[in-house]
């Protein structure tokens, strides 16, 4: 039967639940989003795809893990460039794979210690092993950094394909830098049906070589799309709702926080 997964990404939380982040309160946003999801119906699983903590403190991960545990459904997380994987594992393991119905999720750590993403040699080798010996009929991949660029006149490109990479600003200046290895590898396996990522703070659905990349709004601030820079967008925080069907197809929908909801406190 179909299974449902909700992706939350780019939470940018602080140890203090009162801390402001570029004009918003990340904890307030997350709490309101979780309440909205609980009213609409919980998924079979949550995937949290990185940049979970802005201050990279143990306390931020502790509070997040306790809040997600309280929701009452399975959840997993992977690190982003703002995260400290060793701190995350104090509260919950960073898993590499999980099966859900006829689907197996492959969870990749692209944290390089720098703003851009990289896949280590052990991560690449582990991925190749999981692709060669799948534990379910279909596979999907979650990674923090975007393996395809999202900006104007370069959407769907690899970073290595840019003629003048030094002219690129904004989020596409710090993508997954792997010369297209991840995407080209995944395209060799027909049972891989989709890739989801965080990092871009925007919603995109990009197809290349028969495989689809879904990027997802942040639960914190949004970046304005279609510009060659970082600029805060006015759209509401969001998340992605994925329904994984038994035939290998995916129904995907981006949901935005209802700012008129009673769950979202009004500014005084």
């Amino acid at each position: 039967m179909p299974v449902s997964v909700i992706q939350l990404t780019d939470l940018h939380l602080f140890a203090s639940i009162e801390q402001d982040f570029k004009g918003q309160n990340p904890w307030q946003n997350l709490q309101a989003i979780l309440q909205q999801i609980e009213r609409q119906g919980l998924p079979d699983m949550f995937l949290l795809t990185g940049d979970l903590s802005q201050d990279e403190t143990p306390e931020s991960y502790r509070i997040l893990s306790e809040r997600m545990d309280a929701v009452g459904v399975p959840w997993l997380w992977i690190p982003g460039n703002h995260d400290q994987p060793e701190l995350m594992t104090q509260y919950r393991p960073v898993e590499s794979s999980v099966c859900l119905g006829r689907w197996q999720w492959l969870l990749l750590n692209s944290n390089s210690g720098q703003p851009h993403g990289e896949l280590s040699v052990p991560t690449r080798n582990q991925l190749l092993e999981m692709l060669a010996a799948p534990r379910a009929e279909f596979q999907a991949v979650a990674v923090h950094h975007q393996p395809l660029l999202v900006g104007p006149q370069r959407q769907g490109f690899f970073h290595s394909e840019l003629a003048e990479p030094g002219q690129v600003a904004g989020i596409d200046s710090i993508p997954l830098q792997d010369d297209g290895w991840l995407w080209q590898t995944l395209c060799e396996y027909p049972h891989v049906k989709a890739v989801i990522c965080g990092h871009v703070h925007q919603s995109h659905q990009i197809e290349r070589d028969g495989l689809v990349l879904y990027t997802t709004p942040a639960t914190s601030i949004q970046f304005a799309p279609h510009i060659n820079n970082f600029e805060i967008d006015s759209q509401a925080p969001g998340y992605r709702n994925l329904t994984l069907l038994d035939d290998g197809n995916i129904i995907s929908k981006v949901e935005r926080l209802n700012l008129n909801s009673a769950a979202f406190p009004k500014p005084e």
Side-chain angles (χ1 to χ4, degrees), residues 4-9 11 13 27 30 34 37-38 42-53 58-79 83 85 87-100 105 107 142 196:
S4 60
V5 173
I6 285 181
Q7 179 195 8
L8 304 175
T9 195
L11 286 61
L13 303 171
W27 281 110
L30 176 62
L34 289 175
I37 293 169
E38 288 168 346
L42 290 171
D44 294 304
M45 184 174 66
F46 283 96
L47 287 179
L48 280 59
T49 54
D51 279 7
L52 311 174
S53 174
E59 185 72 0
S60 62
Y61 295 117
R62 182 189 67 80
I63 300 174
L64 174 58
S65 64
E66 290 178 355
R67 179 63 184 91
M68 293 306 301
D69 283 344
V71 176
V73 299
W75 64 277
L76 296 169
W77 58 12
I78 58 174
D83 289 311
L87 293 182
M88 294 169 62
T89 57
Q90 293 180 16
Y91 302 98
R92 191 176 192 85
V94 177
E95 304 284 1
S96 61
S97 170
V98 62
C99 290
L100 196 63
W105 281 94
L107 311 176
I196 65 172

Side-chain angles (χ1 to χ4, degrees), residues 112-239:
S112 66
Q114 302 293 326
H116 72 272
E118 297 177 5
L119 298 177
S120 67
V121 171
T123 296
R124 293 188 185 206
N125 289 338
Q126 183 181 47
L127 174 62
L128 290 174
E129 292 174 1
M130 293 190 294
L131 291 169
R135 294 168 47 206
E137 188 172 355
F138 307 110
Q139 291 180 316
V141 175
V143 64
H144 178 68
H145 293 82
Q146 74 273 31
L148 302 178
L149 302 183
V150 301
Q153 286 79 56
R154 56 178 178 268
Q155 189 170 102
F157 281 62
F158 304 136
H159 186 264
S160 59
E161 292 177 324
L162 297 177
E164 298 181 283
Q167 300 301 312
V168 177
I171 201 66
D172 275 344
S173 65
I174 49 172
L176 182 67
Q177 294 186 8
D178 68 343
D179 296 327
W181 180 88
L182 174 61
W183 199 263
Q184 292 170 333
T185 298
L186 296 178
C187 287
E188 296 176 4
Y189 295 86
H191 54 263
V192 177
K193 299 300 182 181
V195 181
I196 65 172
C197 75
H199 195 52
V200 304
H201 294 236
Q202 302 166 3
S203 172
H204 296 280
Q205 181 173 328
I206 305 170
E207 182 175 348
R208 175 168 175 162
D209 302 325
L211 186 62
V212 178
L213 172 68
Y214 299 98
T215 80
T216 298
T219 72
S220 57
I221 60 170
Q222 313 306 303
F223 292 150
H226 313 305
I227 61 172
N228 189 37
N229 213 329
F230 286 110
E231 182 176 309
I232 303 298
D233 194 31
S234 60
Q235 291 193 83
Y239 53 96

